[in-house]
Amino acid sequence: MDQCVNVERELEKVLQKFASYGQHCDRTLEELIEYTSGLKQEISQTGDRDVEFSGTLSLVLSQCCKRIKDTVQKLASDHKDIHSSVSRVGKAIDKNFDSDISSVGIEGCWQSESQRILSEVMVEHFFRQGMLDVAEELCQEAGLCIDPSQKEPFVELNRILEALRVRDLRPALEWAVANREMLMAQKSSLEFKLHRLYFISLLMGGTANQKEALQYAKNFQPFAVNHQKDIQVLMGSLVYLQQGIENSPYVHLLDSNQWADICDIFTRDACALQGLSVESPLSVSFSAGCVALPALINIKAVIEQRQCTGVWNQKDELPIEVELGKKCWYHSVFACPILRQQTTDNNPPMKLVCGHIISRDALNKMISGSKLKCPYCPMEQVPGDGKQIYF
């Protein structure tokens, strides 16, 4: 990520220079046009009044030409400075990113089966993004046969999201009402927030929508227990319809950020009902790869320098632990502090009588006769007293 920050810093410098140069260029040219227009008007007013005026006119025109030439040269010089800044961005990219990543690749990892799985993941990603034509074209070229039932949920999801982006709540409300029981089971607040947004849109119409707003407020009844305070706020705002909500203590109800929030909430809840992750597996894998790639390139170089290439010879293992951050934590993992390895179904974590936890393999290795001594405290216990725990 540090490499991305370095490149982004250089890019921001270029964008700032472009913006300042554009403003300076517009201002300078406007001043020059105003100057030449005034000179033209002055010359047209004098006409052929005096022959003696020709000398003064010649001097004025020469000064005008000089000013135009100097202005053009100055703008061209400033433009060259921007070229040097752009070149520095390219150098920053070359410096911070290794263009050759073949060293961390594993030969033969993309066999026919792996290619098929990758194509399916890409097709799902395009479905999620609403790029149905691209997904279908990829299916044809890759020879994939995708069940139409896999596409239908994404078609509906993108249709509703497109409506929400243009502030049309009706498709989302119809979907939420149709799936009310499942949403309630997940303790989702989606339907209430959709009704809340629709009610606020009625408030924005002023007193003309007062009767309709009061009638629509009946939709809040199923949510009165869990959202009582929010409903009270919405009802209190009706008092200020005449002067306008934007001029009242309830102006926060008009915050435009809530439209972006409702899109995120709908995406999360809709994917949860379909048993899907909120983010595309392809985008998650790509982001994780971007984080892990620099560390893998560095460790590969170290392994080659020390001539110990056998350390990294399996497809399902890495010679180092790569920290991807909490965003990529999807389930808890317990690592045995004795054997320093992650527990599995065959080697689960075991809780000792004293409360300390180790893996089953570590427990078996530490048995001495019929007794087991905890590696962290002096308590002796019977190995059979250890209990398997679940995270």
Side-chain angles (χ1 to χ4, degrees):
M1 294 303 295
D2 292 338
Q3 291 85 349
C4 294
V5 172
N6 293 335
V7 174
E8 186 177 7
R9 189 181 299 115
E10 293 295 334
L11 185 60
E12 287 178 354
K13 291 180 181 178
V14 174
L15 294 176
Q16 289 176 358
K17 283 193 174 183
F18 263 117
S20 60
Y21 174 77
Q23 294 174 359
H24 172 69
C25 185
D26 292 339
R27 185 170 58 253
T28 303
L29 291 177
E30 287 176 1
E31 292 175 355
L32 189 60
I33 292 172
E34 184 178 354
Y35 168 72
T36 53
S37 298
L39 184 61
K40 178 181 178 182
Q41 185 177 2
E42 184 179 347
I43 293 174
S44 62
Q45 290 176 354
T46 57
D48 298 331
R49 193 181 306 167
D50 296 316
V51 179
E52 297 178 355
F53 185 73
S54 60
T56 304
L57 181 61
S58 176
L59 179 61
V60 171
L61 290 176
S62 63
Q63 291 177 347
C64 178
C65 292
K66 184 177 183 302
R67 180 172 178 177
I68 294 174
K69 183 177 179 181
D70 292 343
T71 302
V72 172
Q73 289 179 346
K74 182 65 170 61
L75 293 176
S77 177
D78 294 341
H79 194 267
K80 288 181 180 179
D81 291 339
I82 296 179
H83 277 282
S84 62
S85 299
V86 173
S87 65
R88 281 197 291 271
V89 174
K91 292 178 181 177
I93 293 174
D94 295 336
K95 179 180 178 181
N96 289 279
F97 296 98
D98 192 339
S99 58
D100 183 16
I101 61 174
S102 59
S103 60
V104 297
I106 300 177
E107 295 182 3
C109 65
W110 294 113
Q111 302 297 335
S112 58
E113 181 65 16
S114 300
Q115 288 182 352
R116 183 188 63 79
I117 295 174
L118 177 61
S119 298
E120 290 179 354
V121 172
M122 293 175 65
V123 168
E124 180 183 335
H125 177 78
F126 291 133
F127 281 151
R128 284 173 174 267
Q129 300 298 318
M131 305 170 67
L132 305 181
D133 295 340
V134 178
E136 292 175 356
E137 186 69 23
L138 178 58
C139 288
Q140 293 178 1
E141 295 185 2
L144 298 177
C145 183
I146 302 296
D147 191 338
S149 61
Q150 294 181 250
K151 180 175 67 173
E152 290 175 1
F154 298 115
V155 173
E156 184 180 23
L157 188 147
N158 282 284
R159 176 182 63 83
I160 296 174
L161 280 177
E162 286 297 324
L164 287 176
R165 291 188 182 106
V166 296
R167 303 195 173 187
D168 182 3
L169 292 167
R170 287 172 297 177
L173 277 169
E174 292 173 359
W175 182 90
V177 172
N179 296 276
R180 176 178 293 175
E181 292 184 2
M182 290 186 289
L183 290 172
M184 288 290 191
Q186 292 186 350
K187 298 181 179 180
S188 169
S189 61
L190 174 63
E191 186 180 354
F192 170 74
K193 290 187 175 181
L194 288 169
H195 285 304
R196 178 179 178 273
L197 270 178
Y198 193 89
F199 185 83
I200 292 173
S201 66
L202 293 176
L203 296 180
M204 295 173 65
T207 54
N209 293 338
Q210 183 175 2
K211 185 177 180 180
E212 185 180 356
L214 286 170
Q215 185 70 21
Y216 191 82
K218 295 179 181 179
N219 290 289
F220 295 135
Q221 184 177 357
F223 314 100
V225 175
N226 297 325
H227 302 278
Q228 181 178 359
K229 290 185 177 180
D230 291 330
I231 295 173
Q232 288 174 347
V233 170
L234 293 173
M235 295 298 100
S237 64
L238 291 170
V239 179
Y240 295 89
L241 281 184
Q242 188 170 2
Q243 69 182 62
I245 302 299
E246 63 278 4
N247 301 317
S248 74
Y250 297 91
V251 65
H252 65 277
L253 295 176
L254 307 180
D255 187 2
S256 59
N257 291 330
Q258 57 192 340
W259 286 96
D261 293 339
I262 201 66
C263 289
D264 294 337
I265 295 171
F266 170 77
T267 303
R268 183 193 65 208
D269 291 349
C271 289
L273 291 187
Q274 298 293 335
L276 301 170
S277 60
V278 177
E279 296 186 26
S280 163
L282 180 63
S283 62
V284 172
S285 301
F286 181 80
S287 300
C290 291
V291 175
L293 188 59
L296 296 181
I297 292 175
N298 292 336
I299 193 63
K300 186 71 172 181
V302 172
I303 290 174
E304 292 176 349
Q305 289 175 1
R306 298 184 179 180
Q307 298 181 353
C308 51
T309 54
V311 175
W312 193 355
N313 56 7
Q314 298 293 327
K315 293 182 180 180
D316 58 350
E317 71 174 22
L318 294 175
I320 58 172
E321 183 178 354
V322 179
E323 180 60 50
L324 297 178
K326 291 185 178 181
K327 187 178 180 181
C328 291
W329 289 4
Y330 297 100
H331 54 82
S332 59
V333 176
F334 175 76
C336 176
I338 305 301
L339 299 181
R340 299 185 181 278
Q341 62 184 16
Q342 291 182 2
T343 53
T344 62
D345 293 338
N346 296 326
N347 180 29
M350 305 292 293
K351 177 178 175 293
L352 304 180
V353 176
C354 56
H356 293 109
I357 302 174
I358 59 177
S359 65
R360 178 182 290 172
D361 287 350
L363 184 148
N364 293 333
K365 289 181 179 181
M366 298 178 65
I367 295 176
S368 177
S370 61
K371 295 291 183 178
L372 169 67
K373 185 177 180 180
C374 176
Y376 290 99
C377 65
M379 180 179 288
E380 290 188 356
Q381 50 204 289
V382 179
D385 291 340
K387 295 182 180 180
Q388 181 177 343
I389 62 174
Y390 302 88
F391 287 94

